[in-house]
Amino acid sequence: MERVRILSLKGIGNRQSAMIRAGQMEAARVWTLCRDRHLAARQEHGPWPNREALQKATKGRFALHSQSVQMVTHAFLANVDTAQQLRNQGRSEIRYPYKDKTFYPLIWPAQAMHLRDKRIVLPMGRGRPSLVLPRPEWLDQPRACKVVWNGLHHELHISVAKESEEVPRLETTNRHATVDLGQIHQAAVATNEGDALIVSGRGLRSLKRQHSKQLGEMASKRTRCTKGSRRWRKLGRTRAKLTLRAERRIRDLRHKGTRQVINFCKAHGVESLFVGNPDGVRSKPCGRHHNQRMSQWEYGRDIDYLQQKSEQDRIACFTGDECGTSSRCPVCGHRHRPKGRDWRCKVCGFEGHRDIVGAVNMHPIAYGQVVPFPKRITYLRPGSLRWSSSPDTGHRTDSSIRRCLAKARNQAPLDVCAGSLEHAHEPCDSARSLPA
């Protein structure tokens, strides 16, 4: 498995910045040529151009390295294949590449990169000077890379291959788990052995809400400026800085939250993980405020992160539909739309955490097995934020402070703790209940 490391190019000179800008404009022309060839073939109902045809059409016509041109054609064909697969699944609104591009990232494969002492040399084509960038200490051999614009400055994304490790022989445990993704809680995990985990998502929501307010404030200020003025450009740079900072913080919390899910599964010997896909939830209109929160819900990234991390830890991970799992009682099967975070059944009197109910009801869908409601629920936060009055997002210096979730009725007494995994086996004696 490969991962990407980001090298900031904020301190490069004007000459190199101009080279990158010109190269990205040239790469956009390569993309436009591929788009035109593909569009003409579709309009004439002829055979679509393949990799060989596009490479022949672009050979020697652009002021770029030949392998960089090939990588752009490969990326274009990958987009065409993805669009075709989605259209075959009934997504008729998906369009093939059709837009004109002004800039496109510069891409080099591993064989095109050269390492010289403390420099990275990236060729720009025959007869043109190469792009020379600082070499980080961890880069020991040539790797595939890409230069992208992040809205404020350029970045070098380097693909780092993880060293292959000998896979040990694992014992069959017959333990599996399901994951219910959400906004208030990033993930709710329930195993077939009676254990459960809830990872809070309130920190992610607060960061996104803060960023939305900042964007609104910047937009309001720019409306009072003349377009292209010094203050107008300064506000644009400030908006880009705030966006980059918010993206870094959100990505960090998202990685930490999904890592806690995988660590929980690994600690409980889970060998198979099912992740519910809540794709149909976002299509329901719920008012402009909630629609904004739903549009900012990046559950696709959570699914990708869980699949990648489970593959690293040799846990089988797959996804599927979760329709109706949060509205059905796990005891009697009665259906109703719950309000709040506590699921209360009007027929049998069952009461439990709403997201855990959804995760428990996924077991019959994924594994064909009905499991009881978990007797142990661990509550974790994805990471530390600045001090806040909210108990769900504030950073607590005393790690020994733990709070409990309300005990579920019609079930055995629960040992539900909020804290780290090393305290999951300890019963919690606090009488306070943790707000959902």
Side-chain angles (χ1 to χ4, degrees), residues 2 8 31 36 68 138 191 236 268 274 334:
E2 293 185 352
S8 176
W31 178 280
D36 294 340
S68 297
W138 48 264
T191 67
H268 290 80
F274 173 80
H334 173 71

Side-chain angles (χ1 to χ4, degrees), residues 21 31 42 97 106 123 138 158 176 185 208-209 235 243 249 254 260 262 296 302 315 332 334 360 397 425:
R21 181 182 177 86
W31 178 280
R42 287 190 287 116
L106 289 173
W138 48 264
I158 303 177
H176 49 259
H185 296 116
K208 293 179 180 179
R209 179 58 178 164
L235 290 173
T243 300
R249 298 180 70 187
R254 193 173 299 281
Q260 287 179 347
I262 299 302
Q296 295 175 345
D302 289 333
I315 299 176
C332 65
H334 173 71
V360 168
T397 57
H425 64 280

